[in-house]
Every structure is written in structure tokens, then in C-alpha cells.
Coordinates of all heavy atoms in Angstrom, one line a residue:
M1 N 123.0 115.1 73.1 CA 122.8 114.4 71.7 C 122.3 115.4 70.7 O 121.3 116.1 71.0 CB 121.9 113.2 71.6 CG 122.2 112.4 70.5 SD 120.9 111.0 70.1 CE 120.4 110.6 71.7
K2 N 122.9 115.7 69.5 CA 122.4 116.6 68.5 C 121.3 115.9 67.7 O 121.4 114.8 67.3 CB 123.6 116.9 67.6 CG 123.2 117.8 66.4 CD 124.2 117.8 65.3 CE 123.6 118.5 64.1 NZ 122.6 117.8 63.3
H3 N 120.2 116.6 67.6 CA 119.1 116.1 66.8 C 119.2 116.6 65.4 O 119.6 117.7 65.3 CB 117.8 116.3 67.6 CG 117.7 115.5 68.7 ND1 117.4 114.1 68.8 CD2 117.6 116.0 70.1 CE1 117.3 113.8 70.0 NE2 117.4 114.9 70.9
Y4 N 118.4 115.9 64.5 CA 118.3 116.3 63.2 C 117.1 117.3 63.0 O 116.1 117.1 63.6 CB 118.2 115.2 62.3 CG 119.6 114.5 62.1 CD1 119.9 113.4 63.0 CD2 120.5 114.9 61.0 CE1 121.2 112.8 62.8 CE2 121.7 114.3 60.9 CZ 122.0 113.2 61.8 OH 123.2 112.6 61.7
T5 N 117.1 118.1 62.1 CA 116.1 118.9 61.7 C 115.3 118.4 60.7 O 115.6 117.5 60.0 CB 116.6 120.5 61.4 OG1 117.2 120.3 60.0 CG2 117.4 121.1 62.3
H6 N 114.0 118.9 60.4 CA 113.2 118.4 59.4 C 113.9 118.6 58.0 O 113.8 117.6 57.2 CB 111.9 119.3 59.2 CG 110.8 118.8 60.1 ND1 110.7 119.0 61.5 CD2 109.6 118.2 59.6 CE1 109.6 118.5 61.8 NE2 108.9 118.0 60.9
E7 N 114.6 119.7 57.9 CA 115.4 119.9 56.6 C 116.4 118.8 56.4 O 116.6 118.3 55.2 CB 115.9 121.2 56.5 CG 114.9 122.4 56.5 CD 114.0 122.6 57.6 OE1 114.4 122.3 58.7 OE2 112.9 123.3 57.6
E8 N 117.1 118.5 57.4 CA 118.2 117.5 57.3 C 117.7 116.1 57.1 O 118.2 115.4 56.3 CB 119.0 117.6 58.6 CG 119.9 118.8 58.8 CD 120.6 118.9 60.1 OE1 119.9 118.5 61.1 OE2 121.7 119.4 60.1
L9 N 116.5 115.9 57.7 CA 115.9 114.4 57.4 C 115.4 114.4 56.1 O 115.5 113.3 55.5 CB 114.9 114.2 58.5 CG 115.4 114.1 60.0 CD1 114.3 114.0 61.0 CD2 116.3 112.8 60.0
E10 N 115.0 115.5 55.6 CA 114.4 115.6 54.3 C 115.6 115.4 53.2 O 115.5 114.6 52.3 CB 113.8 117.0 53.9 CG 113.0 117.1 52.7 CD 111.7 116.3 52.8 OE1 111.0 116.5 53.7 OE2 111.4 115.5 51.9
L11 N 116.8 115.8 53.5 CA 117.9 115.7 52.7 C 118.3 114.2 52.7 O 118.5 113.6 51.6 CB 119.2 116.6 53.1 CG 119.0 118.0 52.9 CD1 120.2 118.7 53.4 CD2 118.9 118.4 51.4
Y12 N 118.2 113.6 53.9 CA 118.7 112.2 54.1 C 117.7 111.4 53.2 O 118.2 110.4 52.6 CB 118.6 111.9 55.6 CG 118.6 110.4 55.9 CD1 119.9 109.8 55.8 CD2 117.6 109.6 56.2 CE1 120.1 108.5 56.1 CE2 117.7 108.3 56.5 CZ 119.0 107.8 56.3 OH 119.1 106.3 56.6
R13 N 116.4 111.6 53.4 CA 115.4 110.9 52.7 C 115.6 110.9 51.2 O 115.3 109.9 50.5 CB 114.0 111.3 53.1 CG 113.2 110.4 53.9 CD 112.1 111.0 54.5 NE 111.6 112.2 53.8 CZ 110.6 112.2 52.9 NH1 110.0 111.1 52.7 NH2 110.1 113.2 52.2
N14 N 115.9 112.1 50.7 CA 116.0 112.2 49.3 C 117.4 111.9 48.7 O 117.7 112.1 47.5 CB 115.7 113.7 48.9 CG 114.3 114.1 49.3 OD1 113.4 113.2 49.0 ND2 114.0 115.2 49.6
G15 N 118.3 111.3 49.6 CA 119.6 111.0 49.2 C 120.5 112.0 48.8 O 121.4 111.8 48.2
K16 N 120.2 113.2 49.4 CA 121.0 114.4 49.1 C 122.0 114.6 50.1 O 122.8 115.7 50.1 CB 120.1 115.6 48.8 CG 119.3 115.5 47.6 CD 118.5 116.7 47.3 CE 117.8 116.4 45.9 NZ 116.3 117.0 45.9
M17 N 122.1 113.9 51.1 CA 123.1 114.1 52.0 C 124.4 113.3 51.7 O 124.5 112.3 50.9 CB 122.5 113.4 53.4 CG 122.9 114.1 54.7 SD 122.2 113.3 56.1 CE 121.4 114.6 56.8
S18 N 125.6 113.7 52.2 CA 126.9 113.1 51.9 C 126.8 111.7 52.4 O 126.0 111.3 53.3 CB 127.9 113.9 52.5 OG 127.9 113.9 53.9
V19 N 127.7 110.8 52.0 CA 127.7 109.5 52.4 C 128.0 109.5 53.9 O 127.2 108.7 54.6 CB 129.0 108.7 51.7 CG1 128.9 107.3 52.3 CG2 128.6 108.6 50.1
L20 N 129.0 110.2 54.5 CA 129.3 110.1 55.9 C 128.0 110.7 56.6 O 127.6 110.2 57.7 CB 130.4 111.1 56.2 CG 131.8 110.5 56.0 CD1 132.9 111.5 56.2 CD2 132.0 109.2 56.8
G21 N 127.3 111.7 56.1 CA 126.1 112.2 56.7 C 125.0 111.2 56.8 O 124.4 111.2 57.8
R22 N 124.9 110.4 55.8 CA 123.9 109.5 55.7 C 124.1 108.3 56.7 O 123.1 107.9 57.4 CB 123.8 108.7 54.3 CG 123.1 109.7 53.3 CD 122.4 108.9 52.3 NE 123.4 108.0 51.5 CZ 123.8 108.4 50.4 NH1 123.5 109.5 49.8 NH2 124.6 107.6 49.7
I23 N 125.4 108.0 56.9 CA 125.7 106.9 57.9 C 125.4 107.3 59.3 O 124.7 106.8 60.1 CB 127.2 106.5 57.7 CG1 127.4 105.8 56.5 CG2 127.7 105.6 58.9 CD1 128.9 105.5 56.0
A24 N 125.9 108.5 59.6 CA 125.6 109.2 60.8 C 124.2 109.3 61.2 O 123.6 109.1 62.1 CB 126.3 110.7 61.0
C25 N 123.4 109.7 60.1 CA 122.0 110.0 60.3 C 121.3 108.7 60.5 O 120.3 108.6 61.4 CB 121.5 110.7 59.0 SG 119.8 111.3 59.3
S26 N 121.6 107.6 59.7 CA 120.8 106.4 59.9 C 121.1 105.7 61.2 O 120.3 105.1 61.9 CB 121.2 105.4 58.7 OG 122.4 104.7 59.0
S27 N 122.4 105.9 61.7 CA 122.6 105.3 63.2 C 122.0 106.1 64.2 O 121.5 105.6 65.1 CB 124.1 105.1 63.3 OG 124.8 106.3 63.5
H28 N 121.8 107.4 64.0 CA 121.1 108.2 64.8 C 119.6 107.9 64.9 O 119.1 107.7 65.9 CB 121.2 109.7 64.5 CG 120.5 110.6 65.5 ND1 121.1 111.1 66.6 CD2 119.3 111.1 65.4 CE1 120.2 111.9 67.2 NE2 119.1 111.8 66.5
L29 N 119.0 107.7 63.7 CA 117.6 107.3 63.7 C 117.3 106.0 64.4 O 116.2 105.9 65.0 CB 117.2 107.2 62.3 CG 117.0 108.6 61.5 CD1 116.9 108.4 59.9 CD2 115.8 109.3 62.1
Q30 N 118.2 105.1 64.4 CA 118.1 103.8 65.1 C 118.0 104.0 66.6 O 117.4 103.2 67.2 CB 119.2 102.8 64.7 CG 119.0 102.2 63.4 CD 120.1 101.4 62.8 OE1 121.0 101.1 63.5 NE2 120.1 101.1 61.6
K31 N 118.6 105.1 67.1 CA 118.7 105.2 68.5 C 117.7 106.2 68.9 O 117.4 106.2 70.2 CB 120.1 105.6 68.9 CG 121.1 104.6 68.8 CD 122.5 105.1 69.1 CE 123.1 106.1 68.0 NZ 124.4 106.5 68.4
C32 N 117.5 107.2 68.2 CA 116.6 108.4 68.6 C 115.1 108.2 68.1 O 114.7 108.3 67.0 CB 117.3 109.5 68.0 SG 116.4 111.1 68.5
A33 N 114.2 108.2 69.2 CA 112.8 108.1 68.9 C 112.4 109.4 68.3 O 111.3 109.4 67.5 CB 112.1 107.7 70.2
K34 N 112.8 110.4 68.9 CA 112.3 111.8 68.4 C 112.6 112.1 66.9 O 111.6 112.4 66.2 CB 113.1 112.8 69.3 CG 112.7 114.3 69.1 CD 113.4 115.2 70.0 CE 113.0 116.7 69.9 NZ 113.8 117.5 68.9
C35 N 113.7 111.8 66.4 CA 114.0 111.9 65.0 C 113.3 110.9 64.2 O 112.9 111.3 63.0 CB 115.5 111.9 64.7 SG 116.4 113.3 65.5
S36 N 113.2 109.7 64.7 CA 112.5 108.7 63.9 C 110.9 109.1 63.8 O 110.4 108.9 62.7 CB 112.4 107.3 64.7 OG 113.7 106.9 64.9
K37 N 110.4 109.7 64.8 CA 109.0 110.2 64.6 C 108.9 111.3 63.6 O 107.9 111.2 62.8 CB 108.7 110.8 66.0 CG 107.3 111.3 66.2 CD 106.3 110.1 66.5 CE 104.9 110.5 66.7 NZ 104.3 110.9 65.3
I38 N 109.9 112.2 63.4 CA 109.8 113.2 62.5 C 110.0 112.5 61.1 O 109.2 112.9 60.2 CB 111.0 114.3 62.7 CG1 110.9 115.0 64.0 CG2 111.1 115.2 61.4 CD1 112.0 115.8 64.3
M39 N 110.8 111.4 61.0 CA 111.0 110.8 59.8 C 109.6 110.1 59.3 O 109.3 110.1 58.1 CB 112.1 109.8 59.9 CG 112.6 109.1 58.7 SD 113.2 110.3 57.6 CE 114.8 109.7 57.3
E40 N 108.9 109.5 60.3 CA 107.7 109.0 60.1 C 106.6 109.9 59.5 O 106.0 109.6 58.6 CB 107.0 108.3 61.3 CG 107.5 106.9 61.6 CD 107.1 106.3 62.9 OE1 106.0 106.7 63.4 OE2 107.8 105.6 63.5
E41 N 106.7 111.2 60.1 CA 105.9 112.2 59.6 C 106.1 112.6 58.2 O 105.3 112.8 57.3 CB 105.9 113.5 60.7 CG 105.2 113.1 61.8 CD 105.6 114.1 63.0 OE1 106.1 115.2 62.6 OE2 105.3 113.9 64.1
L42 N 107.4 112.7 57.9 CA 107.9 113.1 56.5 C 107.3 112.0 55.7 O 106.9 112.2 54.5 CB 109.4 113.2 56.5 CG 110.0 114.4 57.2 CD1 111.5 114.3 57.1 CD2 109.5 115.7 56.6
Q43 N 107.4 110.6 56.0 CA 106.9 109.5 55.1 C 105.5 109.6 55.0 O 104.9 109.2 53.8 CB 107.5 108.3 55.6 CG 108.9 107.9 55.2 CD 109.5 107.0 56.1 OE1 109.0 106.4 57.2 NE2 110.7 106.7 55.8
E44 N 104.7 110.1 55.9 CA 103.2 110.2 55.9 C 103.0 111.3 54.8 O 102.1 111.2 53.8 CB 102.7 110.7 57.0 CG 102.5 109.5 58.0 CD 101.6 108.4 57.6 OE1 100.6 108.7 57.0 OE2 102.1 107.2 57.7
D45 N 103.8 112.4 54.8 CA 103.6 113.5 53.7 C 103.8 112.9 52.4 O 103.2 113.2 51.4 CB 104.7 114.6 54.0 CG 104.2 115.4 55.2 OD1 103.2 115.2 55.8 OD2 105.1 116.3 55.5
D46 N 105.0 112.0 52.3 CA 105.2 111.4 51.1 C 104.2 110.7 50.5 O 103.9 110.7 49.2 CB 106.3 110.4 51.3 CG 107.7 110.8 50.6 OD1 107.8 112.0 50.3 OD2 108.4 109.9 50.5
K47 N 103.4 109.8 51.2 CA 102.3 109.0 50.8 C 101.2 110.0 50.1 O 100.6 109.7 49.1 CB 101.6 108.2 52.0 CG 102.4 107.0 52.4 CD 101.7 106.3 53.5 CE 102.6 105.4 54.2 NZ 102.1 105.1 55.4
L48 N 101.0 111.1 50.8 CA 100.1 112.0 50.4 C 100.5 112.6 48.9 O 99.7 112.7 48.0 CB 100.0 113.2 51.4 CG 98.7 114.1 51.3 CD1 97.5 113.3 51.8 CD2 98.8 115.3 52.0
I49 N 101.7 113.0 48.9 CA 102.3 113.5 47.7 C 102.3 112.4 46.6 O 102.0 112.8 45.3 CB 103.8 114.0 47.9 CG1 103.7 115.3 48.8 CG2 104.5 114.3 46.6 CD1 105.0 115.6 49.4
A50 N 102.7 111.1 46.9 CA 102.7 110.1 46.0 C 101.3 109.9 45.4 O 101.0 109.6 44.2 CB 103.1 108.8 46.5
H51 N 100.2 110.0 46.3 CA 98.8 109.9 45.8 C 98.5 111.0 45.0 O 97.8 110.8 43.9 CB 98.0 110.0 47.1 CG 96.5 109.9 46.8 ND1 95.9 108.8 46.4 CD2 95.5 110.7 46.8 CE1 94.6 109.0 46.3 NE2 94.4 110.2 46.5
L52 N 98.8 112.3 45.3 CA 98.6 113.4 44.5 C 99.3 113.2 43.1 O 98.6 113.5 41.9 CB 99.0 114.7 45.1 CG 98.3 115.4 46.1 CD1 99.1 116.4 46.7 CD2 96.9 115.6 45.7
R53 N 100.6 112.8 43.0 CA 101.3 112.5 41.8 C 100.6 111.6 40.9 O 100.5 111.6 39.8 CB 102.6 112.0 42.1 CG 103.5 113.3 42.4 CD 105.0 112.9 42.1 NE 105.8 113.9 42.7 CZ 106.8 113.9 43.6 NH1 107.1 112.7 44.0 NH2 107.6 114.9 43.9
S54 N 100.1 110.4 41.6 CA 99.4 109.3 40.7 C 98.1 109.9 40.2 O 97.7 109.5 39.1 CB 99.2 108.1 41.6 OG 98.3 108.3 42.7
S55 N 97.4 110.8 40.9 CA 96.3 111.3 40.4 C 96.5 112.2 39.2 O 95.9 112.1 38.1 CB 95.5 112.2 41.5 OG 95.3 111.5 42.6
I56 N 97.7 113.0 39.2 CA 98.0 113.8 38.1 C 98.3 113.0 37.0 O 98.0 113.2 35.8 CB 99.2 114.7 38.6 CG1 98.7 115.6 39.5 CG2 99.8 115.5 37.3 CD1 99.8 116.5 40.3
Q57 N 99.2 111.9 37.2 CA 99.7 111.0 36.2 C 98.4 110.3 35.4 O 98.4 110.2 34.2 CB 100.5 109.9 36.8 CG 101.2 108.9 35.8 CD 102.1 109.7 34.8 OE1 102.9 110.5 35.3 NE2 101.9 109.6 33.5
L58 N 97.4 110.0 36.2 CA 96.3 109.3 35.7 C 95.5 110.3 34.8 O 95.2 110.0 33.6 CB 95.3 109.0 36.8 CG 94.0 108.2 36.4 CD1 94.5 106.6 36.1 CD2 93.1 108.1 37.7
Y59 N 95.5 111.6 35.3 CA 94.9 112.7 34.4 C 95.7 112.9 32.9 O 95.1 112.9 32.0 CB 94.8 113.9 35.2 CG 94.3 115.1 34.3 CD1 93.0 115.3 34.2 CD2 95.3 116.1 33.9 CE1 92.6 116.3 33.4 CE2 94.8 117.1 33.2 CZ 93.4 117.2 32.9 OH 93.0 118.4 32.2
R60 N 97.0 112.8 33.1 CA 97.9 112.9 32.1 C 97.7 111.8 31.0 O 97.5 111.9 29.8 CB 99.4 113.1 32.4 CG 99.7 114.4 32.9 CD 101.2 114.5 32.9 NE 101.6 115.6 33.6 CZ 102.6 115.7 34.6 NH1 103.2 114.7 34.8 NH2 102.7 116.9 35.1
D61 N 97.5 110.6 31.6 CA 97.4 109.3 30.7 C 96.2 109.6 29.9 O 96.1 109.2 28.7 CB 97.4 108.1 31.7 CG 98.8 107.8 32.1 OD1 99.8 108.4 31.7 OD2 98.9 106.8 33.1
L62 N 95.0 109.9 30.7 CA 93.7 110.1 30.1 C 93.8 111.1 29.0 O 93.2 110.8 28.0 CB 92.7 110.4 31.1 CG 92.3 109.4 32.1 CD1 91.4 109.8 33.1 CD2 91.6 108.2 31.4
S63 N 94.6 112.2 29.2 CA 94.7 113.2 28.2 C 95.3 112.7 26.8 O 95.0 113.1 25.8 CB 95.3 114.5 28.7 OG 95.2 114.6 30.1
E64 N 96.3 111.7 27.1 CA 97.1 111.3 26.1 C 96.3 110.4 25.0 O 96.7 110.1 24.0 CB 98.4 110.7 26.6 CG 99.5 111.8 26.7 CD 100.6 111.2 27.5 OE1 100.9 110.0 27.5 OE2 101.3 111.9 28.1
I65 N 95.4 109.7 25.8 CA 94.5 108.7 25.0 C 93.6 109.4 24.0 O 93.2 108.8 23.0 CB 93.8 107.8 26.0 CG1 94.7 106.9 26.9 CG2 92.7 107.0 25.3 CD1 94.2 106.3 28.1
E66 N 93.3 110.7 24.2 CA 92.4 111.4 23.4 C 92.9 111.2 22.0 O 93.9 111.3 21.6 CB 92.5 112.9 23.9 CG 91.4 113.4 24.9 CD 91.5 114.8 25.3 OE1 91.8 115.6 24.3 OE2 91.5 115.1 26.4
P67 N 91.8 111.1 21.1 CA 92.2 110.9 19.7 C 92.6 112.2 18.9 O 92.8 112.1 17.7 CB 90.8 110.4 19.2 CG 89.8 110.9 20.1 CD 90.4 111.0 21.4
A68 N 92.8 113.3 19.7 CA 93.2 114.5 19.1 C 94.5 114.3 18.3 O 94.9 114.9 17.3 CB 93.3 115.6 20.1
K69 N 95.5 113.4 18.9 CA 96.7 113.2 18.3 C 96.7 112.2 17.0 O 96.3 111.2 17.2 CB 97.8 112.5 19.4 CG 98.6 113.6 19.8 CD 99.8 112.8 20.5 CE 99.4 112.4 22.0 NZ 100.4 111.7 22.7
T70 N 97.0 112.8 15.9 CA 96.9 112.1 14.7 C 98.2 111.6 14.2 O 98.3 110.9 13.1 CB 96.0 112.7 13.7 OG1 96.5 114.1 13.6 CG2 94.6 112.7 14.0
S71 N 99.3 112.3 14.7 CA 100.8 112.0 14.1 C 101.2 110.6 14.4 O 100.8 109.9 15.2 CB 101.6 113.0 14.7 OG 101.6 112.9 16.1
Ligands
LIG1 ZN1 117.5 112.7 67.4

């Protein structure tokens, strides 16, 4: 069985894979514990990134509230 690489799974997750590629990948993930595990790890990374992004967004929101803007 051919396994997916981190890069390929990343493409799948980001919806950048072709439709046929996505179908093949999703059916593979249902059967393959190894690739599912990698996918889980990628999703963990995602949570971290999402957390970082929300921190940045919060910082931006706070900067925008500053009364410096008079227009
Ligand atoms: Zn696999």
C-alpha cells in the first residue's frame, strides 16, 4: 500500500489536492492507521497555529481600538 507523505496530507487538509486525489486520500485515511496518525499530528499543529493567530488577532483588535485614529 502506498502511504501519503506529510506534504501530501497537508495539501489534502488545505483542500489543495485534486478532487480525485481527495477521494483517494480520504478513503486511504479511513483504512490506514499510519496516515491517520500523521493527519492527527497535523491537526495538533493546526490548533497551535490557530491559537497563535487568535493571539495576533487579539493584539490587532486592541491596536485598532486605540484613539489615535480620528478619521
Ligand atoms: Zn497510509
Side-chain angles (χ1 to χ4, degrees):
M1 197 188 338
K2 177 200 171 282
H3 290 291
Y4 287 89
T5 63
H6 270 75
E7 288 73 23
E8 286 169 326
L9 291 170
E10 193 70 50
L11 288 177
Y12 171 76
R13 245 162 33 94
N14 295 322
K16 287 181 182 147
M17 213 178 238
S18 68
V19 176
L20 282 178
R22 285 211 295 266
I23 293 167
C25 192
S26 80
S27 68
H28 180 86
L29 283 169
Q30 280 167 20
K31 292 178 286 185
C32 180
K34 187 174 178 260
C35 292
S36 302
K37 184 83 179 66
I38 297 171
M39 194 57 123
E40 274 174 31
E41 285 167 11
L42 291 175
Q43 276 159 358
E44 284 300 313
D45 287 352
D46 244 23
K47 281 183 205 160
L48 200 73
I49 292 165
H51 178 73
L52 286 175
R53 279 201 188 127
S54 67
S55 306
I56 292 166
Q57 189 58 52
L58 186 69
Y59 175 76
R60 280 195 190 135
D61 290 349
L62 287 172
S63 331
E64 278 169 22
I65 294 165
E66 272 181 39
K69 253 195 284 180
T70 46
S71 57

